[in-house]
Amino acid sequence: MIKYAASSLMVRLLLHLPRAPPTYRPLLLPLHPARLRAAASASFPLAAMSTTAQAVADEKRAVRSEVRRALKALSPDQRASEDLAIQSNILNSSWFKASKRLCAYISCAQLREVDTSKILAEVLSQNSEHDGQAKDIYVPRVEDKNRNMRMFKITTMDDLVKNSMNILEPSPLDASGNAREDVLSASSPIDLFLLPGQAFDRTGRRLGRGGGYYDTFLMRYQELAKENGWSQPLLDCVGVGVRVGPKWAVLKQKDQSEIMMRERYRPSGATRGELQLSIQATLAYPVLVALSYSVQILEEGVIPVNSTDVPIDALVTSSGVIPISPAALERLRS
């Protein structure tokens, strides 16, 4: 009896021992803890990987639904107040005034996006006055349902027409029948990108509306910047770095200089703060700035992400600017 009882006790203890942690494969940005188990191990069969992707998509839909309800609950007065404050924070900033070439979205009231009408009006009026503050501005046009979006240069609000969804977009041709300048065909880089979105957090995560248009466009633009040598937007570095925060690390380059970069991949085997890092950094052009209502800013870890989600550099809210990346900390000082 004693031997049997001891054996039974041993079995029960073994059943309650903690399981060995799984080995995580690299993922773009740290994931919500609820998904780490499902995202583990590159040796998973394709079916399991597909299940993980579906789980991420389901979580994104759930978050979008919650944020839509919060946006709908905003009173017209609160929305108008935040719209005015956000646009004023941008227009009055030195970094916006110093920008020469930017991409910006045209806000849609039906989608409950932060208003950009004052920003567009200010830029276009400066261009017409030729007072030395002129900026090149490019705005989006959706080409199809396959995530293809272009950014065309406009010089007046008359360059915009309503699409089938009643959203203003630039026509591909100007009034003279000439093709408008496409930012992906431009000879110079843009320095600022004003982004919409459904939800954000203070670590740089952005959740769009599900179409994937902005993420796809931004990745294409990064490739263009890399090809033209405007910056090194997809600089791949592998080395020993020291974590300086939950999302940032310092990496020593071959020339022994040190750079601070966003840690895009989940490290493994980290000991005493030293990490074998695979780092992908976005530098210099453009700074990605999202405009956000207060109810769209969520706690860290709530927004699910995957490998196609491009992080933002900064948030602008009614309360001010929230710089996130080193580029934003350097360039969006006021």
Side-chain angles (χ1 to χ4, degrees):
M1 287 292 292
I2 294 175
K3 183 181 296 186
Y4 173 80
S7 175
S8 178
L9 177 60
M10 181 62 69
V11 170
R12 289 199 299 272
L13 289 172
L14 288 173
L15 288 175
H16 287 83
L17 283 175
R19 295 179 181 178
T23 301
Y24 299 121
R25 66 184 179 86
L27 293 168
L28 186 65
L29 294 176
L31 292 179
H32 190 281
R35 281 204 320 280
L36 289 179
R37 292 186 300 276
S41 181
S43 63
F44 272 8
L46 291 177
M49 295 176 66
S50 176
T51 301
T52 301
Q54 186 59 50
V56 173
D58 291 343
E59 288 184 36
K60 286 186 174 185
R61 278 192 291 271
V63 174
R64 289 189 187 102
S65 180
E66 290 295 325
V67 176
R68 277 196 297 269
R69 281 194 285 270
L71 285 169
K72 191 174 181 179
L74 273 181
S75 69
D77 288 346
Q78 177 70 17
R79 186 186 306 278
S81 175
E82 292 199 33
D83 280 334
L84 178 60
I86 291 168
Q87 291 183 96
S88 296
N89 287 336
I90 292 172
L91 291 171
N92 295 331
S93 67
S94 60
W95 49 267
F96 181 79
K97 293 175 181 178
S99 66
K100 297 298 182 183
R101 298 165 59 80
L102 69 148
C103 289
Y105 71 95
I106 301 169
S107 56
C108 176
Q110 298 96 309
L111 297 178
R112 295 185 172 86
E113 294 174 328
V114 172
D115 186 23
T116 57
S117 61
K118 294 184 184 301
I119 296 171
L120 292 171
E122 178 73 13
V123 170
L124 295 175
S125 66
Q126 288 176 349
N127 292 350
S128 64
E129 293 170 3
H130 303 289
D131 60 357
Q133 299 295 320
K135 306 178 191 296
D136 291 337
I137 185 167
Y138 301 81
V139 296
R141 176 185 174 86
V142 173
E143 295 291 290
D144 53 37
K145 295 182 179 180
N146 297 316
R147 302 185 177 184
N148 291 311
M149 182 178 77
R150 301 169 73 184
M151 287 274 180
F152 288 115
K153 183 179 177 180
I154 63 169
T155 57
T156 173
M157 291 298 289
D158 293 335
D159 293 340
L160 304 175
V161 295
K162 290 184 177 180
N163 64 14
S164 59
M165 296 182 64
N166 210 34
I167 298 174
L168 288 172
E169 292 183 328
S171 57
L173 304 177
D174 62 21
S176 301
N178 300 314
R180 295 191 189 281
E181 182 177 311
D182 187 332
V183 75
L184 292 178
S185 301
S187 58
S188 300
I190 59 173
D191 46 29
L192 182 63
F193 204 127
L194 301 182
L195 286 163
Q198 191 74 3
F200 314 93
D201 71 17
R202 289 175 173 80
T203 69
R205 294 187 182 189
R206 171 186 173 272
L207 180 65
R209 299 186 180 278
Y213 289 95
Y214 280 94
D215 288 319
T216 301
F217 177 86
L218 289 171
M219 286 189 285
R220 288 175 180 169
Y221 190 85
Q222 288 175 336
E223 287 296 335
L224 176 68
K226 183 180 181 180
E227 291 170 6
N228 290 338
W230 293 335
S231 64
Q232 297 178 346
L234 294 179
L235 178 62
D236 291 325
C237 302
V238 178
V240 177
V242 178
R243 187 194 297 272
V244 294
K247 299 292 178 292
W248 302 99
V250 172
L251 184 75
K252 185 167 288 188
Q253 302 181 97
K254 290 182 179 179
D255 62 2
Q256 300 304 304
S257 63
E258 291 184 346
I259 52 175
M260 187 162 71
M261 290 179 160
R262 179 188 299 276
E263 181 191 306
R264 298 290 181 89
Y265 291 94
R266 175 166 292 278
S268 60
T271 58
R272 297 185 181 180
E274 290 195 347
L275 311 169
Q276 292 294 328
L277 299 178
S278 292
I279 296 179
Q280 194 175 58
T282 301
L283 305 176
Y285 293 105
V287 174
L288 307 181
V289 179
L291 283 58
S292 176
Y293 290 118
S294 54
V295 297
Q296 292 179 283
I297 302 178
L298 307 184
E299 292 296 323
E300 180 181 349
V302 172
I303 298 175
V305 293
N306 55 30
S307 60
T308 61
D309 293 324
V310 177
I312 58 173
D313 294 300
L315 279 168
V316 181
T317 72
S318 58
S319 300
V321 180
I322 303 173
I324 299 169
S325 71
L329 289 167
E330 175 65 26
R331 296 177 62 184
L332 310 187
R333 291 177 176 175
S334 61

